[in-house]
Amino acid sequence: MTTLRQAFSAEMNAARDNWRQGRLDVAFAHLENAHVLGQRRLGWHFHVHLWMLRVGWAKRDRREILGQLWRLLLTPLGHLTGRLPIGNTGGANVNAFTPMPVRKELERVLRGEGMEGKSDKDLGD
């Protein structure tokens, strides 16, 4: 069974690997998964938004850059107030305050049931 830490690390490693290969959209999809998995831990949550900013910068996506700067400011406040929109994927394409449904594979990890058999193809590659 995959633990939350293992699943989060796997998503971040996949994001970095795809980043290095120039596959920025796939890297971002892994970061969205990492965001859902890690948003209840301040360090993980903040780290994901830094990486989302990095991808936005590489893509020269002004909306993503501004959205991630905003989210980096909001992240500590969200943790202090306990107002974290569960399931939110963290990108600038979604409202920062809107809860979203959690994908089944991620929900299994969050419930402690593991996350086996996921690949980049499942992320739209």
Side-chain angles (χ1 to χ4, degrees):
M1 175 171 53
T2 304
T3 67
L4 179 60
R5 180 179 296 280
Q6 290 168 331
F8 178 81
S9 293
E11 292 295 341
M12 290 303 300
N13 289 335
R16 283 190 282 275
D17 290 346
N18 281 285
W19 160 268
R20 286 186 205 103
Q21 296 171 28
R23 297 169 40 173
L24 301 179
D25 290 335
V26 176
F28 201 85
H30 283 288
L31 291 170
E32 289 176 318
N33 287 339
H35 184 270
V36 171
L37 293 169
Q39 85 179 129
R40 291 199 178 257
R41 297 190 180 187
L42 177 59
W44 294 3
H45 192 182
F46 199 80
H47 187 71
V48 170
H49 283 298
L50 284 173
W51 266 94
M52 287 181 162
L53 174 62
R54 188 174 188 183
V55 171
W57 188 269
K59 292 174 76 175
R60 306 289 191 257
D61 183 338
R62 183 177 176 187
R63 179 179 180 205
E64 196 64 49
I65 292 167
L66 293 174
Q68 291 310 319
L69 289 171
W70 175 244
R71 283 159 176 78
L72 285 164
L73 291 172
L74 289 175
T75 295
L77 183 60
H79 281 268
L80 283 172
T81 63
R83 296 189 67 187
L84 299 170
I86 301 307
N88 188 293
T89 54
N93 63 326
V94 298
N95 185 303
F97 302 103
T98 303
M100 300 169 68
V102 178
R103 291 185 34 230
K104 288 181 185 177
E105 313 86 68
L106 302 179
E107 188 177 342
R108 280 188 218 113
V109 173
L110 292 170
R111 285 192 324 233
E113 297 174 16
M115 183 171 145
E116 319 311 330
K118 192 175 72 51
S119 70
D120 284 348
K121 290 186 179 184
D122 298 330
L123 297 170
D125 179 41

